[in-house]
Amino acid sequence: MKKPTIISGDINKDHRGKIFHINSLDLSPIKRVYIIENKDLTTERGWKGHLVENRWFYCSTGKIEIQVVSINDFEVKSPTIEIFNLSDRNLNILFVPKGFATLIKQSKKASRITAMSDYLLGKSNDDDLRWKSNIFEK
């Protein structure tokens, strides 16, 4: 199974300014794009998982924390949760493959995350994999 990974962006500068790019990102699997902005810093959007969909996340405004856990680990009391911090200061994209769930929190007010999926809405038949955000709290 693939693991969640950061696809690193880069910045090229010259006398005209800057170009932010991710030349290693293949957009051909992307079928839909949506933007998430939580109402405040205390809102935790998750846990939401997919058995079929792959997802990509890019922080377009502010700073976002994304926690990622294997769907298989929801049976474990203390699972391994990977934490990724994305910022609008670079063009890094978090790739979350199928088989994982995410929890999204803003680290800075009015932050936005662009989410991309390789399935159209309602086509993957696994949109109901949800758990309470506090499932791992003791």
Side-chain angles (χ1 to χ4, degrees), residues 26-40:
D26 177 7
L27 293 173
S28 61
I30 307 297
K31 301 284 192 247
R32 67 184 167 103
V33 176
Y34 52 98
I35 296 172
I36 299 167
E37 180 179 332
N38 287 345
K39 68 179 183 174
D40 56 38

Side-chain angles (χ1 to χ4, degrees), residues 108-125:
K108 188 176 177 182
K109 189 175 179 177
S111 295
R112 288 185 180 166
I113 189 124
T114 300
M116 298 167 272
S117 172
D118 58 351
Y119 277 81
L120 294 173
L121 191 62
K123 296 294 182 184
S124 68
N125 295 325

